[in-house]
Amino acid sequence: MIRWLIVVFLALILISWFTPLLQKLGLGKLPGDLRFKLFGREWFIPLTSTILLSFVASLIAKLF
């Protein structure tokens, strides 16, 4: 259990570091990514970007 928490924590740190780079590449601005304001706060749900990144990760995992 603690191992999975560490993995999730490290993944979140890596994602936060690479978010500006990914946004420059166009991820987060794809047609299925949702941005909306609710209760005075901006919400972002990257559905299409998540699917695309998981597809790329699975291709890399199959190749190696």
Side-chain angles (χ1 to χ4, degrees), residues 2-23:
I2 193 82
R3 211 180 278 169
W4 282 107
L5 286 173
I6 293 171
V7 169
V8 169
F9 180 73
L10 290 175
L12 288 173
I13 289 175
L14 285 174
I15 289 170
S16 68
W17 282 345
F18 289 116
T19 298
L21 174 66
L22 293 175
Q23 286 178 348

Side-chain angles (χ1 to χ4, degrees), residues 4 10 29 45-46 51:
W4 282 107
L10 290 175
K29 298 177 185 175
I45 303 173
I51 292 170

Side-chain angles (χ1 to χ4, degrees), residues 41-62:
R41 192 171 178 193
E42 187 172 335
W43 297 84
F44 174 61
I45 303 173
L47 293 175
T48 307
S49 296
T50 302
I51 292 170
L52 183 64
L53 287 174
S54 67
F55 180 70
V56 169
S58 80
L59 281 177
I60 291 172
K62 283 186 179 185

